């Protein structure tokens, strides 16, 4: 018997019939036996002893070997997707990712209709982009398909629509993008202060585009007319026939919140765009020729602000000197006066300011502020800035009253 002589080898035979061997030949068993054909199969096995005797045949049924990959398709409607998952044996799970790599974990299926071999599952996107829906069947076979969620399905705004506007409040205001895309940023600086019939210089205007991600925050400072916020000034002072008003505040947008524009002197790369404020108006009531001169403030920029005015017919007789304009690289010149040591010089993010002991008029704030006028001459306008945006431009003297900001969606991106 084989028990006495010892086992020489084991043999197996695979058949589609449960009735025993129906053709073919027995195969010697190696370390393992692999069945690679789909469907129900029967495996028979026997032993052969060293003495050549063959044992009786035993058999087992192996059912539903599955090598067929499942299929998946996606029907997109806005940000809602219905997946159709199919398999010849049964679907066991699905997953949504942003890569073609087979996921390590699978979500439970929420079946809205169908059976385990034909499943409909619903999924809602939270942001735009290209996605991969993976499916797995009960045998562990996987497959995937791709689909795209358009940005317009996520965003509540359409290109060309105004998303936000901001007016002067005296503080920094926050803007959060509702969706990823390119936005047009428009800023207007504030007008300088009026003095009687003399008008303060109008604020400048700057615009440009900026690509922003969904949920990105920007920080907005809107200048005010004849107020101190964002580098303006609120003085309205006069003596001995010389009078002046304060300069207008700059308007800026930045990617961080450091407060007023002047605080970004060491962080200029965080500033996206600036519009300059206008200079304060002046008045000279001259005792020499008995005339009154009303002097409009210099307009805000723009690439450069506008220089202030002084009474030209009295040049050299009354000592009036206008404020000089802010530029892209420096602040406007203003005359020194030994009797007013507290006068604030113009600089980055600030306009020149008259002290209470002087007869200066305020310069407008900006990327660089305009200088203050002296002895009733008007203040100069501050400059604008568009270094943090693309496709931008600047122009002088476009805003009456307080500053303003407008943000418009130009295009969407995934």
């Amino acid at each position: 018997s084989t028990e006495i002589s010892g086992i020489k080898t084991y043999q197996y035979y695979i058949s589609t019939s449960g009735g025993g061997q129906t053709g073919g030949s027995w195969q010697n068993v190696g370390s393992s036996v692999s069945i690679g054909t789909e469907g129900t199969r029967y495996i028979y096995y026997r032993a052969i002893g060293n003495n050549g005797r063959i044992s009786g045949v035993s058999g087992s049924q192996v059912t539903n070997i599955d090598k067929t990959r499942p299929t998946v398709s996606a029907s997109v409607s806005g940000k809602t997707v219905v997946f159709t998952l199919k398999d010849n044996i049964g679907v066991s799970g699905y997953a949504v990712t942003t890569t073609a790599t087979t996921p390590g974990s699978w979500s439970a299926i929420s079946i809205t209709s169908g059976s385990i071999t034909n499943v409909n599952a619903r999924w809602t996107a939270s942001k735009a982009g290209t996605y991969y829906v993976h499916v797995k069947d009960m045998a562990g076979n996987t497959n995937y398909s791709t689909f795209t969620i358009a940005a317009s399905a996520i965003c509540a705004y359409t290109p060309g629509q105004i998303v936000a506007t901001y007016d002067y409040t005296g503080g920094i205001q926050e803007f959060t993008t509702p969706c990823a895309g390119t936005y047009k940023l428009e800023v207007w600086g504030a007008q300088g202060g009026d003095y009687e019939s003399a008008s303060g210089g109008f604020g400048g205007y700057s615009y440009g585009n900026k690509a922003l991600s969904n949920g990105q925050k920007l920080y907005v400072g809107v200048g005010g007319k004849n107020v101190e916020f964002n580098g303006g000034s609120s003085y309205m002072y006069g003596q001995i026939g010389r009078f002046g008003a304060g300069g207008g505040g700059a308007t800026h947008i930045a990617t961080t919140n450091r407060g007023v524009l002047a605080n970004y002197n060491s962080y200029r790369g965080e500033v996206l765009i600036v519009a300059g404020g206008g200079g304060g108006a002046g008045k000279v009531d001259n005792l020499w020729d008995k005339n009154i001169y009303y002097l409009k403030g210099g307009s805000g920029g723009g690439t450069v602000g506008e220089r202030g005015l002084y009474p030209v017919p009295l040049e050299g007789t009354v000592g009036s000197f206008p404020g000089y304009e802010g530029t892209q690289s420096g602040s406007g010149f203003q005359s020194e006066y030994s009797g007013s040591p507290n006068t604030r010089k113009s600089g980055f993010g600030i306009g020149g300011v008259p002290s209470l002991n002087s007869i200066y008029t305020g310069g407008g704030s900006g990327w660089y502020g305009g200088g203050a006028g002296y002895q009733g001459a008007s203040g100069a306008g501050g400059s604008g800035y568009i270094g943090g945006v693309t496709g931008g431009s600047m122009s002088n003297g476009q805003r009456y009253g307080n500053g303003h900001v407008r943000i418009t969606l130009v295009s969407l991106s995934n």
Side-chain angles (χ1 to χ4, degrees):
S1 71
T2 56
E3 291 85 353
I4 296 174
S5 64
I7 302 299
K8 179 180 180 180
T9 186
Y10 291 97
Q11 293 184 326
Y12 73 94
Y13 174 78
I14 298 174
S15 173
T16 57
S17 171
Q21 185 177 5
T22 58
S25 59
W26 290 89
Q27 305 292 322
N28 291 333
V29 176
S31 59
S32 63
V33 176
S34 176
I35 302 176
T37 306
E38 278 191 279
T40 300
R41 294 293 182 269
Y42 299 87
I43 181 169
Y44 300 98
Y45 45 91
R46 67 186 183 182
I48 299 178
N50 289 321
N51 58 7
R53 295 178 64 100
I54 300 174
S55 70
V57 176
S58 298
S60 297
Q61 177 179 317
V62 180
T63 303
N64 292 334
I65 297 172
D66 181 15
K67 294 181 67 177
T68 300
R69 299 175 71 188
T71 62
V72 56
S73 61
S75 176
V76 180
S77 177
K79 61 182 179 180
T80 301
V81 188
V82 175
F83 304 127
T84 300
L85 316 168
K86 295 182 180 182
D87 186 68
N88 60 323
I89 301 300
V91 175
S92 64
Y94 81 102
V96 179
T97 70
T98 56
T99 71
T101 303
T102 301
S105 60
W106 299 82
S107 301
I109 297 175
S110 177
I111 301 176
T112 57
S113 64
S115 66
I116 198 66
T117 59
N118 187 351
V119 177
N120 288 334
R122 187 179 300 273
W123 180 82
T124 301
S126 60
K127 66 179 192 177
T130 298
Y131 292 89
Y132 294 77
V133 54
H134 301 261
V135 60
K136 183 172 70 171
D137 67 13
M138 292 182 174
N141 301 305
T142 63
N143 207 346
Y144 71 86
S145 180
T146 63
F147 63 96
T148 299
I149 299 295
S152 58
I154 301 297
C155 188
Y157 296 89
T158 58
Q161 187 173 359
I162 296 172
V163 176
T165 59
Y166 297 92
D167 293 308
Y168 169 75
T169 63
I172 299 301
Q173 302 172 71
E174 182 180 285
F175 167 70
T176 303
T177 58
C179 43
T182 297
Y183 291 81
K184 181 180 181 181
L185 308 181
E186 296 178 274
V187 291
W188 288 263
Q191 182 185 12
D194 303 326
Y195 197 92
E196 295 181 357
S197 63
S199 171
F202 288 176
Y205 168 66
S206 301
Y207 74 88
N209 295 333
K210 183 67 177 178
L212 301 170
S213 59
N214 184 32
Q216 185 171 347
K217 295 184 183 298
L218 299 181
Y219 299 91
V220 176
V222 181
K225 178 180 179 180
N226 203 43
V227 295
E228 296 181 7
F229 178 73
N230 228 16
S233 54
S234 60
Y235 296 98
M236 187 174 290
Y237 187 73
Q239 63 179 15
I240 320 175
R242 308 291 187 266
F243 307 90
T251 296
H252 77 276
I253 300 177
T255 58
T256 60
N257 185 5
R258 299 186 185 276
V260 295
L261 180 59
N263 295 345
Y264 289 87
N265 192 20
S266 298
Y267 307 94
R268 300 188 187 193
E270 298 171 1
V271 180
L272 298 178
I273 192 167
V274 177
K283 174 186 175 182
V284 175
D285 188 354
N286 185 45
L287 301 177
W288 294 88
D289 62 4
K290 309 301 181 182
N291 288 323
I292 298 176
Y293 298 88
Y294 291 99
L295 304 167
K296 179 182 180 296
S299 63
T303 304
V304 297
E306 182 184 30
R307 189 170 300 181
L309 300 177
Y310 68 102
V312 176
L314 303 180
E315 186 173 4
T317 63
V318 297
S320 293
F321 300 99
Y324 276 52
E325 64 275 11
T327 69
Q328 291 297 294
S329 59
S331 54
F333 168 82
Q334 60 191 26
S335 299
E336 293 294 330
Y337 176 55
S338 60
S340 55
N342 295 322
T343 298
R344 183 183 77 189
K345 293 183 178 180
S346 55
F348 179 85
I350 53 174
V353 173
S355 77
L356 293 178
N357 297 320
S358 73
I359 15 178
Y360 281 81
T361 55
S365 180
W367 183 248
Y368 280 100
Y374 176 58
Q375 289 278 26
S378 61
S383 60
Y385 172 75
I386 53 173
V389 296
T390 60
S393 183
M394 299 180 284
S395 39
N396 289 63
Q398 301 296 309
R399 183 71 180 180
Y400 173 84
N402 294 330
H404 184 67
V405 168
R406 182 167 63 202
I407 300 176
T408 304
L409 178 64
V410 175
S411 62
L412 292 165
S413 61
N414 290 334

